[in-house]
């Protein structure tokens, strides 16, 4: 370490009280984090690409500064899904500092990593007050049964009104309209369940029937008077 002549010629002045970093909540403990290895936490965050044409929801489970689990969910450009595949391979085993300075291919994923880094190092995590944090695998709980991202896709026009296309439960197959021509319920297909049934040997038609569900006042007895295909009608 080199010092300038001006510094070398200065006299020494004793330092006063020792000011440690403020403690942050981590997995049921208060930690004065000084090193990356002092950091643990489980959290989610969203990033966006430069022209804001897509977004990434990133979930990280960090233990002792090292990413042990990563869930990458994206919506937007088609290339983003391939970037997510690379990021999910890149992130585990890296420290959060390494991950922050690693090119994760897609701007949205890089931005999500930055936002999560800030949450984790400041102690703003979902596991801040959970003893020993969350188990590796907790990220999958966000996906629910069938291990599919929970996506909501809705479309509407001033002239033709609203169309529900995809709900958290699954792919919307029909909308129910009441006597006032307003949406009063919908029918959905759980694609994750259907795929699992087909893998178990059911025919596609059998799997379809077992994976169909309804929400709201979908039946005629409940007030539905008309059914439409939201993608065609």
């Amino acid at each position: 370490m080199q010092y300038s002549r001006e510094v070398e010629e200065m006299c020494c002045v004793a330092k006063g009280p020792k000011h440690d970093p403020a403690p942050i909540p981590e997995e049921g403990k208060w930690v004065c984090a000084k090193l990356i290895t002092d950091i643990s936490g489980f959290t989610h965050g969203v990033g966006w690409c430069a022209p804001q044409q897509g977004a990434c929801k990133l979930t990280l489970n960090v233990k002792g500064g090292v990413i042990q689990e990563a869930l990458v969910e994206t919506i937007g450009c088609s290339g983003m899904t391939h970037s997510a595949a690379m990021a999910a391979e890149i992130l585990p085993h890296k420290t959060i500092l390494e991950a922050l300075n690693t090119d994760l291919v897609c701007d949205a994923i890089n931005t999500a990593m930055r936002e999560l880094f800030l949450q984790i190092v400041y102690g703003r995590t979902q596991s801040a007050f959970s003893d020993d944090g969350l188990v590796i695998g907790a990220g999958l709980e966000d996906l629910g049964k069938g291990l599919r991202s929970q996506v909501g896709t809705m479309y509407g026009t001033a002239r033709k009104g609203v169309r529900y296309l995809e709900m958290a439960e699954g792919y919307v197959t029909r909308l129910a309209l009441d006597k006032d021509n307003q949406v009063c319920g919908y029918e959905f297909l759980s694609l994750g369940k259907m795929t699992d049934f087909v893998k178990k040997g059911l025919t596609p038609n059998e799997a379809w029937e077992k994976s169909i569900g309804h929400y709201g006042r979908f039946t005629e007895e409940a007030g539905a008077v008309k059914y439409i295909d939201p993608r065609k009608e």
Side-chain angles (χ1 to χ4, degrees):
M1 190 178 297
Q2 293 182 325
Y3 294 92
S4 68
R5 182 175 60 82
E6 290 80 5
V7 173
E8 288 286 5
E9 292 176 354
M10 291 177 181
C11 65
C12 290
V13 176
K15 185 177 180 179
K18 182 180 180 181
H19 296 283
D20 273 337
I24 61 173
E26 283 187 21
E27 302 190 340
K29 301 183 294 289
W30 289 93
V31 178
C32 288
K34 300 178 182 180
L35 302 171
I36 286 295
T37 52
D38 295 330
I39 300 294
S40 294
F42 177 94
T43 197
H44 316 270
V46 175
W48 52 95
C49 59
Q52 298 186 1
Q53 294 175 337
C56 166
K57 178 190 171 190
L58 181 61
T59 302
L60 296 180
N61 201 345
V62 178
K63 304 288 186 184
V66 178
I67 297 171
Q68 299 293 341
E69 176 185 17
L71 172 66
V72 190
E73 300 173 84
T74 62
I75 184 169
C77 68
S78 57
M80 197 182 291
T81 58
H82 295 80
S83 299
M86 297 177 70
E89 185 173 352
I90 291 169
L91 285 169
H93 297 297
K94 285 191 179 294
T95 68
I96 56 172
L97 185 58
E98 286 180 298
L100 183 67
N101 290 291
T102 297
D103 183 5
L104 300 174
V105 188
C106 169
D107 278 350
I109 305 174
N110 287 322
T111 304
M113 183 62 232
R114 180 194 72 198
E115 297 302 310
L116 261 67
F117 179 90
L118 294 174
Q119 290 181 31
I120 294 168
V121 298
Y122 282 122
R124 271 71 167 178
T125 67
Q126 278 78 11
S127 60
F129 300 102
S130 302
D131 286 340
D132 297 322
L134 302 183
V135 300
I136 309 304
L140 293 178
E141 294 177 5
D142 240 28
L143 301 179
K145 295 179 179 179
L147 298 183
R148 285 176 53 86
S149 295
Q150 297 187 58
V151 178
T153 307
M154 313 299 159
Y155 178 73
T157 60
R159 183 177 178 185
K160 298 295 185 177
V162 72
R163 299 294 187 276
Y164 301 170
L165 302 176
E166 184 123 7
M167 290 287 200
E169 301 96 330
Y171 177 98
V172 177
T173 54
R174 289 191 295 168
L175 294 183
L177 308 182
D178 63 15
K179 59 182 177 59
D180 299 317
N181 225 32
Q182 296 180 343
V183 177
C184 61
Y186 57 87
E187 177 183 72
F188 61 87
L189 172 69
S190 175
L191 291 171
K193 288 182 180 179
M194 180 177 175
T195 304
D196 287 340
F197 286 136
V198 171
K199 287 192 292 186
K200 290 178 181 178
L202 271 65
T203 66
N205 285 341
E206 291 172 330
W208 174 283
E209 292 297 329
K210 290 177 69 67
S211 304
I212 286 287
H214 307 98
Y215 185 84
R217 295 183 291 115
F218 188 79
T219 64
E220 294 180 3
E221 293 78 5
V225 299
K226 182 180 179 181
Y227 303 94
I228 63 170
D229 181 337
R231 290 170 175 77
K232 294 183 179 179
E233 296 177 80

